[in-house]
Amino acid sequence: MSYSILTFFDLILVLTLLSLSWHLLNSEDIFKAVVLFISFGLLMALAWVRMRAPDVALAEAALGAGLTGPLFLAALRRMNRCHKGERRLDIDENRDGDNEKKMEQPHQRS
Amino acid sequence: MFPSDTAVWIVFPVILPLVAGLLCFLFKRGTFGIALAAAIGNFFVVCFLIYQMLVYGPMRCYIGGWHPPLGISLRIDGPALLMLLMTAATGLAVTLYARGYFLFRISDPLRARRHKRQQYYFWPLWMLLLTGLNGLFLSADIFNLYVTLELIAVSAAPLAALSGKPASLRASYRYLLISLIGSLTYLLGVVFLYRSCGVLDLALLQNLAGDGLGISTALVLLTVGLMLKTALVPLHFWLPPAHANALAPVSVILSALVVKASFYLLFRFWFEIFAPIISPSSLNFMGTLGALAIFWGAIQAMRQQRLKLMVAYSTVSQLGYLFVAFPLSMFVDGGQVWSIVVFIALTHACAKSAMFMVAGNVYLHLGHDRIKSLKGVRSSQPITVFAYGIAGVSLMGLPPSGAFIAKWMLLSASFASLQYWWAVVIAGGSLLAMIYVFRVMSHFFVIPEGESSKKNVSLSPLLEWPPLILALISLFLGLISPWVLKIVLYKDSGLLAQIFQGGLP
Amino acid sequence: MITTMLYSLTGLILFGMGFYTLIIHSHPLRKILAVNVMATGVFLILVATAYIPVGQGDIDPVPHAMVLTGIVVSVSVTALALIFACKVQENSNLDLLRKRNHRKPMKERGL
Amino acid sequence: MKKKWNNHIRGRNPFQLLFLFLLFMLTVILAVIFCNIPEKSSVLEAGIVSMQNQSGVNSPVTAVLLNFRGYDTLLEVMVLLIAVIGVWSLTKATSFGNTADISPVQLGVVHLLTPVMCLVAAYLVWQGSHLAGGAFQGGAILGAAGVLLLVSEIPWTHAVPALVLRIGLVFGPLIFTGIALYCLWARGGLLDYPTGSAGWLILLIETTCALSIGLTLALLFAGGRPDENGSEGDIQ
């Protein structure tokens, strides 16, 4: 069990990854979740470099963050465009179909 | 002839549909010609492989010339070849049926453009799904199996959503998510296996599989992942809506072939790779899940109002038989673990595809498939109803059909091992199957007093003959069972092959 | 050794977190995010097992090739799942608009 | 406004809490099992070092990806293609806004950046044979360039005829399969590169696949089939 300065760096990286993914998965608003996901992808690229896997780091940065992020943003934009008049920030996952109520008072948390 | 270790022909069942899929996507006209050529070529290559295996015994093909710990190897043995034969035969019938189906759909000018688009996207997706299936049955490398599972999942979901109706979109979206979770669990199992054995090839894993804790966890993860994809009862909720709302040829492919691919893997893992660490209690657990599947699927099938949903739930029920074979496979006479499974899988594939084709014909002709109002279809579509009858008979497991041979083996195994409750489960399952099959038959034959019997609606032969031929194959599978057993006998037992074949090199 | 342990543990926790979110939340986009996080977790475990500190010899490249294949496959599946989610969302909106509008006179309909 | 971001995270109903607890226990059990699997020195790694020189490529990962386990990569490129076919069968492409409100700065950056990205992609593909890089990383950079062009509504991106797109998509996998079949014919084994020519064959595969992957990823971002209002005759 060789402890080195790297282990200290690993601990910080691991804790950031876990807290980032916790906030990403349980964030209130989808748009914020996607932005956090892109930063999670970039941090994962750093983790791959730490694991001596440069190919995977390149792929993760380019594909995981660089392409999946825009895909999510495009999908989010496409899904919001169907709600004519609903602003992006108010989209929340537990609207479970009661759109009429949501339309009338967008800021009221149901 | 070909030296047995660099068998060139093993690769063609994968390459043919792959190239056909690429060409179908590239060209807009003549896609049916390419697909039919690939299906027929695939069928002949598989027959040639069976012949070659009977002469040379089980064979391996090392891709790229690298031997297993490094490279990927494809191997053919008895069960793999029979599954390939099942896929090739059903695939050829589906290709013909799909042609008739889309021609009929495009003939009415109302929505011709939408159906033409569906036809255009059906062929490449179906060919690449066939590539995934053949690749899965041939491959002997667990990570390669993960890639083929993904290939099947990614091509099956858009196929299921081809009809564009909101119900089928929701169902296939849920199907895609479920198979994603299944693939990820499978991949976690592969990671645990790689960590404990350091090798990816199935043959090497077989003799490395000690009884470590890591390996049994890997087996549990692999099993959960594959059970999700095989829709065993507690995890079956995604199957009926996905199979029922799809287009007729697509629901044939999903029910008859895709579900069997993950079961084939499960059976191979349990009875070949991890055989030493399988405990009887885990076998019985799988058996009870199978029994639960038989009864739950049958009861649900009886309650359905729509024909396609009924047939989809009967898939859930018939899959239960495959899992009931787990605890009884040890006690089969002659020790043929694979014989029961092969017979059930072959018969179910042919009979179920015939039933879904019949449901498709009824839907095309009547515009709906509500069981209550299937009045007088017998007079308007005699061949289709005849095919339904034969498919129902062989699904139930009446004598000449392959299912009867399998159920006979199951019953004799349960009596030999003094586990009579399995016999009760099997007999009860057949009885329930009889009930939901004949419930629909009765509606076919009832002609309401008011109307006179409708004249014979001439559906194109492409729509009527494939279901009949498939139903007849499933019915007479029992008669050719000695040859089928001979092929199954050729599993990795090279020695046995030589005894029967007079000691070839 | 400690690095492999640490990163494998992180991978497993990511897998568990993703699985929990996948089951609990109902928004389609959130489910696909969770699937991506689960996949990244599995890949992290896979590469962590092959990690050897810099000094002691070079690394087993097979897990890296597997993870590369896995990342490309998960990107393509995510793209497909996102388009599915958009289509399902559009259909559910059309139903809602249709359901809400059948009571309103023609000119106020939002179609 | 009350702090709203985490009120629904505390599992409101007990089932969520129970499920969270069960899942946590499962993860702990898996972690404990995983950590004390005996350290298995991978038998593979020794094999690769010795075979390295025969693979015609001296970066180990690319050797494994394209030579030792080339069959995996062939199927995986097909998965990418199926994703595009699936997306095309589901929806039409969406336009990302009209060209009016694209700021000249963005247009300037795009015109400057795209050639550089293509250069980086080419370098990555070339570098793949001896360092970190390869078809997928190069393809990803090309895809990102495509995304940039699509987002900034460059007029010609919508005018590309569907046939050209289809040829571009199928080009990479077709060349890969063609080379695999050539090896089958030449050496009697699929993907069994003839001695000596493994290096440049792999490079050929990598460049064509990178182009196709780049186009595939850009079309996945476009999110649908190109609308065929032009040619009414054939299928949309």
Side-chain angles (χ1 to χ4, degrees):
Chain A
M1 287 291 197
S2 66
Y3 292 95
S4 69
I5 182 70
L6 279 178
T7 326
F8 182 69
F9 166 75
D10 290 343
L11 273 176
I12 296 176
L13 183 62
V14 159
L15 289 179
T16 342
L17 273 175
L18 289 178
S19 72
L20 201 59
S21 72
W22 173 260
H23 287 294
L24 148 71
L25 292 172
N26 292 300
S27 80
E28 171 65 26
D29 153 39
I30 304 284
F31 180 74
K32 200 172 85 170
V34 169
V35 170
L36 285 176
F37 177 73
I38 295 174
S39 54
F40 176 78
L42 290 177
L43 213 58
M44 273 311 290
L46 187 60
W48 296 131
V49 171
R50 168 71 183 89
M51 305 300 293
R52 291 181 66 192
D55 295 71
V56 182
L58 267 170
E60 173 75 24
L63 288 174
L67 210 84
T68 320
L71 278 174
F72 272 106
L73 291 174
L76 196 58
R77 176 190 158 89
R78 197 167 173 170
M79 289 168 86
N80 297 338
R81 189 183 296 153
C82 334
H83 287 255
K84 303 182 180 55
E86 182 135 10
R87 279 183 36 255
R88 188 187 58 210
L89 277 177
D90 303 338
I91 296 304
D92 180 21
E93 78 283 352
N94 48 21
R95 70 182 177 289
D96 44 47
D98 48 1
N99 275 359
E100 296 81 1
K101 203 145 46 63
K102 186 59 69 183
M103 285 292 203
E104 272 68 34
Q105 340 100 14
H107 290 292
Q108 181 60 34
R109 180 66 44 232
S110 63
Chain B
M1 283 296 279
F2 294 96
S4 69
D5 67 333
T6 60
V8 176
W9 292 96
I10 296 184
V11 175
F12 276 93
V14 176
I15 294 295
L16 269 177
L18 191 125
V19 172
L22 291 177
L23 296 181
C24 285
F25 179 61
L26 196 56
F27 305 113
K28 287 204 166 167
R29 284 164 190 68
T31 49
F32 169 66
I34 301 167
L36 188 62
I40 294 173
N42 180 25
F43 187 76
F44 283 125
V45 165
V46 168
C47 294
F48 178 70
L49 280 178
I50 288 179
Y51 163 72
Q52 211 177 22
M53 193 205 71
L54 288 176
V55 171
Y56 285 97
M59 279 189 294
R60 282 185 165 282
C61 157
Y62 304 111
I63 293 192
W66 308 106
H67 281 267
L70 206 52
I72 301 170
S73 69
L74 305 180
R75 57 90 195 79
I76 52 169
D77 56 9
L81 270 176
L82 282 169
M83 286 295 183
L84 278 171
L85 189 66
M86 167 189 85
T87 318
T90 322
L92 188 57
V94 161
T95 311
L96 294 170
Y97 178 79
R99 176 65 172 175
Y101 181 85
F102 283 117
L103 280 182
F104 184 93
R105 280 291 197 180
I106 288 173
S107 59
D108 68 339
L110 182 62
R111 284 196 295 276
R113 223 143 71 99
R114 192 153 65 87
H115 292 306
K116 230 185 274 186
R117 176 160 43 84
Q118 283 171 2
Q119 176 186 18
Y120 169 65
Y121 285 115
F122 172 80
W123 294 117
L125 287 171
W126 158 234
M127 278 299 125
L128 293 171
L129 180 63
L130 191 59
T131 316
L133 285 168
N134 288 346
L136 187 133
F137 290 132
L138 283 173
S139 164
D141 179 283
I142 33 174
F143 186 73
N144 192 262
L145 290 175
Y146 166 72
V147 178
T148 43
L149 277 172
E150 283 290 323
L151 199 66
I152 293 171
V154 169
S155 49
L159 265 177
L162 213 50
S163 68
K165 296 199 296 294
S168 76
L169 270 170
R170 261 194 304 276
S172 51
Y173 170 61
R174 189 190 301 179
Y175 170 42
L176 181 66
L177 270 188
I178 297 290
S179 51
L180 256 178
I181 302 172
S183 299
L184 280 178
T185 323
Y186 178 89
L187 193 60
L188 196 60
V190 168
V191 167
F192 270 71
L193 215 53
Y194 186 73
R195 160 85 180 193
S196 39
C197 302
V199 173
L200 287 174
D201 188 75
L202 290 182
L204 299 174
L205 273 176
Q206 200 159 349
N207 39 38
L208 271 175
D211 48 6
L213 198 56
I215 291 175
S216 40
T217 348
L219 177 65
V220 166
L221 287 168
L222 292 174
T223 313
V224 168
L226 290 172
M227 262 160 59
L228 253 172
K229 283 175 167 292
T230 324
L232 190 58
V233 161
L235 313 166
H236 73 291
F237 47 88
W238 57 270
L239 187 133
H243 289 198
N245 294 321
L247 297 175
V250 172
S251 44
V252 168
I253 299 165
L254 291 176
S255 256
L257 302 175
V258 171
V259 179
K260 305 249 171 5
S262 39
F263 174 80
Y264 167 81
L265 281 186
L266 205 59
F267 202 82
R268 194 167 272 281
F269 281 144
W270 273 62
F271 283 93
E272 285 192 359
I273 314 299
F274 299 100
I277 60 171
I278 297 299
S279 65
S281 60
S282 55
L283 283 174
N284 285 335
F285 172 69
M286 295 298 266
T288 37
L289 282 185
L292 204 62
I294 293 176
F295 291 120
W296 177 256
I299 291 162
Q300 286 295 335
M302 282 189 267
R303 285 182 54 242
Q304 292 311 319
Q305 297 313 323
R306 281 182 52 210
L307 183 56
K308 286 184 108 171
L309 265 174
M310 188 279 282
V311 180
Y313 271 109
S314 100
T315 305
V316 174
S317 163
Q318 295 299 324
L319 283 176
Y321 281 102
L322 290 170
F323 282 93
V324 165
F326 269 68
L328 293 174
S329 292
M330 293 304 174
F331 309 101
V332 177
D333 44 20
Q336 277 314 312
V337 178
W338 277 97
S339 47
I340 303 176
V341 162
V342 155
F343 271 110
I344 299 179
L346 285 177
T347 332
H348 179 262
C350 300
K352 187 55 50 119
S353 37
M355 266 194 175
F356 261 120
M357 289 179 186
V358 161
N361 288 352
V362 165
Y363 193 88
L364 284 183
H365 170 52
L366 293 180
H368 63 80
D369 61 350
R370 286 187 302 278
I371 295 178
K372 285 281 183 300
S373 50
L374 288 178
K375 293 298 178 286
V377 174
R378 172 189 62 78
S379 54
S380 55
Q381 290 177 325
I383 300 179
T384 313
V385 170
F386 183 49
Y388 177 85
I390 295 184
V393 158
S394 59
L395 208 60
M396 284 181 260
L398 295 190
S401 79
F404 171 73
I405 307 284
K407 284 176 182 163
W408 180 259
M409 285 187 186
L410 279 171
L411 287 172
S412 56
S414 69
F415 290 137
S417 63
L418 303 179
Q419 297 171 323
Y420 297 110
W421 51 88
W422 294 127
V424 170
V425 163
I426 295 156
S430 306
L431 183 67
L432 293 175
M434 209 173 293
I435 293 171
Y436 63 70
V437 165
F438 279 121
R439 171 171 162 259
V440 177
M441 282 291 280
S442 61
H443 285 285
F444 274 143
F445 280 88
V446 163
I447 298 179
E449 319 74 24
E451 307 139 21
S452 69
S453 68
K454 295 191 236 351
K455 61 170 181 45
N456 183 348
V457 170
S458 66
L459 285 173
S460 83
L462 280 176
L463 280 173
E464 291 194 331
W465 289 101
L468 188 59
I469 294 164
L470 278 177
L472 289 173
I473 290 173
S474 71
L475 191 62
F476 297 120
L477 202 57
L479 303 183
I480 56 170
S481 60
W483 291 286
V484 174
L485 275 176
K486 189 160 181 277
I487 294 176
V488 172
L489 193 68
Y490 271 86
K491 219 165 60 46
D492 283 335
S493 51
L495 180 64
L496 235 55
Q498 260 123 31
I499 291 168
F500 276 91
Q501 219 41 43
L504 266 168
Chain C
M1 182 53 191
I2 182 73
T3 338
T4 318
M5 202 82 71
L6 200 62
Y7 281 95
S8 322
L9 211 63
T10 338
L12 264 170
I13 295 174
L14 286 179
F15 186 85
M17 250 191 259
F19 191 71
Y20 172 74
T21 325
L22 191 67
I23 303 296
I24 294 299
H25 290 282
S26 62
H27 192 283
L29 242 60
R30 208 177 279 277
K31 282 185 187 286
I32 301 170
L33 270 176
V35 166
N36 274 15
V37 170
M38 281 166 76
T40 315
V42 172
F43 298 148
L44 189 55
I45 306 169
L46 194 54
V47 174
T49 52
Y51 173 74
I52 297 170
V54 181
Q56 307 153 2
D58 46 12
I59 282 218
D60 165 18
V62 172
H64 298 186
M66 285 158 77
V67 167
L68 255 168
T69 314
I71 286 178
V72 172
V73 162
S74 77
V75 166
S76 54
V77 170
T78 316
L80 190 63
L82 283 172
I83 299 298
F84 262 109
C86 287
K87 284 294 283 184
V88 168
Q89 175 78 17
E90 272 161 33
N91 288 333
S92 73
N93 289 335
L94 286 179
D95 302 343
L96 275 168
L97 285 177
R98 212 169 285 124
K99 193 169 59 179
R100 191 152 44 90
N101 283 343
H102 75 275
R103 291 189 300 276
K104 281 193 207 159
M106 271 308 284
K107 60 179 173 38
E108 284 168 16
R109 296 199 176 190
L111 287 182
Chain D
M1 201 161 73
K2 64 180 171 43
K3 187 165 178 306
K4 63 179 175 54
W5 78 272
N6 60 359
N7 62 356
H8 74 288
I9 290 174
R10 296 294 163 277
R12 268 181 296 226
N13 48 38
F15 296 112
Q16 281 182 355
L17 276 180
L18 177 69
F19 182 60
L20 182 66
F21 175 70
L22 281 178
L23 206 57
F24 178 72
M25 289 313 298
L26 180 71
T27 318
V28 166
I29 293 166
L30 283 180
V32 165
I33 291 171
F34 189 81
C35 290
N36 48 39
I37 292 176
E39 186 66 48
K40 180 91 180 63
S41 74
S42 146
V43 68
L44 271 187
E45 198 255 336
I48 286 172
V49 169
S50 63
M51 304 284 187
Q52 190 67 55
N53 37 41
Q54 294 162 20
S55 72
V57 170
N58 37 31
S59 118
V61 177
T62 319
V64 170
L65 254 181
L66 275 160
N67 199 338
F68 301 138
R69 297 181 70 90
Y71 182 62
D72 267 352
T73 318
L74 177 64
L75 291 184
E76 177 217 328
V77 169
M78 298 312 300
V79 170
L80 263 168
L81 183 67
I82 298 173
V84 176
I85 300 176
V87 164
W88 278 22
S89 71
L90 280 170
T91 55
K92 275 176 123 51
T94 63
S95 68
F96 293 94
N98 42 40
T99 53
D101 54 22
I102 302 290
S103 73
V105 174
Q106 179 176 355
L107 280 178
V109 164
V110 163
H111 286 303
L112 194 66
L113 210 53
T114 319
V116 172
M117 291 173 95
C118 296
L119 198 65
V120 167
Y123 173 68
L124 272 180
V125 170
W126 169 256
Q127 184 203 350
S129 61
H130 46 277
L131 280 171
F136 301 114
Q137 292 82 353
I141 303 286
L142 280 178
V147 165
L148 258 180
L149 292 176
L150 281 172
V151 166
S152 44
E153 288 301 317
I154 305 289
W156 60 264
T157 50
H158 295 291
V160 181
L163 184 61
V164 170
L165 289 181
R166 288 208 309 275
I167 290 175
L169 283 172
V170 171
F171 183 69
L174 212 57
I175 295 283
F176 199 163
T177 323
I179 290 178
L181 287 176
Y182 164 71
C183 299
L184 184 69
W185 175 71
R187 282 278 299 252
L190 192 75
L191 282 176
D192 193 349
Y193 301 108
T195 54
S197 69
W200 69 268
L201 271 179
I202 287 182
L203 193 61
L204 179 63
I205 292 177
E206 281 206 326
T207 37
T208 47
C209 279
L211 293 171
S212 277
I213 290 169
L215 188 62
T216 317
L217 294 174
L219 288 174
L220 282 178
F221 179 76
R225 59 181 172 277
D227 40 18
E228 292 284 323
N229 36 36
S231 51
E232 265 314 314
D234 54 7
I235 305 158
Q236 275 194 5

